Amino acid sequence: FCAVLFPASTAVSTTERQLPIYSVETSDKRCAISFDAAWGNEDTEQLIDILGRYNIKTTFFVVGDWVERYPESVAQLHDAGMEIMNHSNDHAHYNSLSAEEIIADVTACNEKIAAITGVTPTLIRCPYGEYDDHVIAAIRSMGMEPIQWDVDSLDWKDYDAATICERVTSRVKEGSIVLFHNAALHTPEALPQILEYLIHEGFTVVPISELLLEGEYTIDHTGRQWPVVEEKAE
């Protein structure tokens, strides 16, 4: 069992494994849906429309190069109330970069997003989901939080809508972070079924920043974020 005390300003032993957040411990029936945007842009407006029909706000992790290619889509996402966060500047393998190179890359993407939305991202999803201790340490040194997922739709494999729906609905739980991709072939078809399931089951879907715990917390060996509970004096 690995429990590391955060936020990043708290001293952490170099022998402790550094983990991003995969899910959040909560007694409320809440979860978050996220989309990674790195390549195409075929269905961004359709995703916005579907989410809008259900009054759902989600988090889009966007690559800086994608922001440059599709600034109008970034603006549309922001205007629709979606949370726009960092997915690197050009989808590099962070494990092969130095801490200085990682910080420069993250900063470049942050600046591109902020130039359009007026909001500087506070969360990042590492490209390819890859990370090691030096990657996580570099990101947290910037005051940003690295985010993974505990429910993977695998929509990028072009599974049909029924398979995507089954994968998500059979795995989601309180505090889950679900991974989708924009420009995935069958995600727009699967998404309404998934949202209807979540609503029927009593889930509230929120952007990731609203799911995360405030104040001091620990991250266990599964990447689940837990609140720090102060011991009461006898």
Side-chain angles (χ1 to χ4, degrees):
F1 186 92
C2 173
V4 182
L5 184 66
F6 294 101
S9 58
T10 303
V12 177
S13 168
T14 57
T15 61
E16 294 172 325
R17 185 183 179 201
Q18 303 293 299
L19 290 176
I21 294 173
Y22 284 72
S23 65
V24 177
E25 178 61 24
T26 175
S27 58
D28 299 327
K29 207 161 188 181
R30 298 192 303 154
C31 65
I33 288 176
S34 62
F35 296 85
D36 288 359
W39 315 121
N41 192 41
E42 297 84 355
D43 61 0
T44 305
E45 288 189 22
Q46 188 177 5
L47 293 175
I48 292 173
D49 290 343
I50 293 169
L51 294 167
R53 290 206 305 267
Y54 294 92
N55 195 29
I56 297 292
K57 309 301 182 187
T58 65
T59 303
F60 281 74
F61 290 95
V62 300
V63 171
D65 288 349
W66 193 88
V67 175
E68 286 188 339
R69 290 197 301 273
Y70 309 112
E72 70 288 346
S73 291
V74 177
Q76 288 173 340
L77 288 166
H78 177 69
D79 291 345
M82 304 303 162
E83 187 170 74
I84 303 175
M85 294 296 178
N86 194 311
H87 192 35
S88 82
N89 193 48
D90 57 11
H91 216 264
H93 290 273
Y94 274 9
N95 288 9
S96 65
L97 301 182
S98 68
E100 292 75 16
E101 290 171 327
I102 293 168
I103 291 170
D105 186 88
V106 173
T107 299
C109 182
N110 278 352
E111 290 175 349
K112 291 176 182 179
I113 294 170
I116 296 174
T117 67
V119 180
T120 300
T122 56
L123 307 177
I124 180 171
R125 175 165 288 152
C126 295
Y128 309 102
E130 292 179 355
Y131 64 88
D132 59 17
D133 285 358
H134 99 284
V135 172
I136 301 303
I139 290 169
R140 287 201 170 113
S141 75
M142 303 176 67
M144 296 181 68
E145 192 61 56
I147 302 295
Q148 293 286 92
W149 59 88
D150 68 327
V151 179
D152 191 346
S153 69
L154 293 181
D155 56 354
W156 61 273
K157 290 190 173 185
D158 292 341
Y159 288 141
D160 60 33
T163 300
I164 294 171
C165 186
E166 192 280 331
R167 283 193 57 83
V168 174
T169 58
S170 65
R171 291 166 172 79
V172 69
K173 60 184 179 181
E174 290 85 349
S176 281
I177 297 173
V178 184
L179 171 64
F180 292 104
H181 297 79
N182 84 318
L185 189 59
H186 296 292
T187 299
E189 182 184 353
L191 188 57
Q193 303 172 60
I194 293 168
L195 295 179
E196 288 172 10
Y197 170 85
L198 293 173
I199 293 168
H200 180 267
E201 292 298 314
F203 281 95
T204 299
V205 182
V206 298
I208 292 174
S209 67
E210 295 182 19
L211 183 67
L212 299 181
L213 302 175
E214 297 181 357
E216 289 190 341
Y217 60 86
T218 61
I219 298 177
D220 69 18
H221 68 288
T222 70
R224 192 165 179 86
Q225 185 189 37
W226 291 76
V228 172
V229 180
E230 295 184 2
E231 295 183 4
K232 295 182 179 179
E234 295 183 359

